Structures are given as C-alpha cells and as structure tokens.
Amino acid sequence: MSVLSDEAVSGLLQLERIMIAGNYASRSREAYAREIRFFAEYFPDLTPKQWTEDHVVEYMNYLKKTLGSSYSKHKMVAQSMAFFFRHVLKTPFDSKSKLYPRREFKLPCVLSQKEIKKLLENTSSPKQQALVEL
C-alpha cells in the first residue's frame, strides 16, 4: 500500500470540504476522492501542484492499455480530475471532453418484412396474432 504525500492528503481534504460546501452527494464525494487518490498513487513523486493534463492523459492510457478500463471509468476519472484542477488547484482544465473515449455504436440488426412476418407467426399471444393479420 503506497503512502500519499502530505500535499496529496491536503488536496483530498480540500476536495472533501469543497464538495461538502457544494452539497454534493456522499457517493460523489467518495468516488471523486477515490479517483484522485488512485491518481496520486500512480504519480507518487509529484505533488498535486505539479500535475498537468499530460499526466492525466498518461494515467488514462495506463488505465485503458493495462487495466482495460471502461468508458464509465474514463468518464469518472476525467470528471474527478477536472473538478480537482478547477476547484482545488484553481487551474484550468480544458481537455475533459477530449479524454472521454468514443462509445462504440453498432447499428441494430434490421429484419426484412419476410423475417418479421416469420417472427410474428411463431407467437401465441392474441395481440401478436392481431399484428400478424395486419
């Protein structure tokens, strides 16, 4: 188990205070703090003031390539880091939207009229039988 630097612990406490003052849900506070803690553990030799967007990109590449993390994980990391940069470090963080991987979109299978009719004919519900007749 790695030990966080004093600056990282201070940043996490500041994050907690800001989120409580902003009336964020306890689960949001826990999730953001967890992501910031993981990030700080990945870069143990850097203080939060030394973190840059390039470090965030490097960390997210690690998550994707090594751990095979999901879209949701990347989104949570990006949101957590953006909040931390803006509200705790008081520095801009503009690349949040660039850090989200694109969701894979597959077109649904399209059935022909013949296939739909065959599918409906193999049903036993009266409503479905009415559809077949139409």
Side-chain angles (χ1 to χ4, degrees):
M1 182 173 172
S2 70
V3 178
L4 295 176
S5 69
D6 292 339
E7 293 89 355
V9 171
S10 175
L12 285 169
L13 292 173
Q14 180 68 12
L15 174 73
E16 179 77 10
R17 286 192 293 270
I18 290 169
M19 292 188 85
I20 288 172
N23 201 28
Y24 284 80
S26 62
R27 290 186 143 214
S28 295
R29 295 192 312 260
E30 291 168 7
Y32 278 38
R34 181 176 47 249
E35 295 304 334
I36 300 302
R37 184 173 45 82
F38 289 159
F39 186 84
E41 289 174 353
Y42 186 77
F43 294 105
D45 298 334
L46 299 176
T47 66
K49 290 182 180 176
Q50 295 172 317
W51 295 347
T52 64
E53 290 180 28
D54 289 338
H55 291 116
V56 177
V57 170
E58 180 183 333
Y59 177 68
M60 292 182 84
N61 279 318
Y62 161 75
L63 291 175
K64 186 66 176 175
K65 290 179 180 177
T66 307
L67 304 178
S69 63
S70 67
Y71 172 85
S72 299
K73 173 70 171 177
H74 278 251
K75 186 174 180 181
M76 178 54 73
V77 170
Q79 288 173 332
S80 302
M81 294 308 298
F83 189 92
F84 192 83
F85 270 72
R86 289 185 185 132
H87 298 285
V88 177
L89 299 177
K90 306 283 189 216
T91 58
F93 189 84
D94 298 325
S95 64
K96 182 178 83 167
S97 63
K98 295 176 195 168
L99 297 177
Y100 297 151
R102 291 183 164 240
R103 282 203 159 180
E104 187 175 321
F105 180 75
K106 294 182 181 178
L107 291 174
C109 293
V110 179
L111 300 176
S112 67
Q113 287 181 344
K114 194 176 199 179
E115 292 170 323
I116 292 173
K117 188 173 181 179
K118 184 177 178 184
L119 181 66
L120 291 173
E121 286 173 350
N122 293 327
T123 61
S124 59
S125 164
K127 287 182 181 178
Q128 291 170 336
Q129 289 297 330
L131 284 174
V132 171
E133 293 171 6
L134 291 175

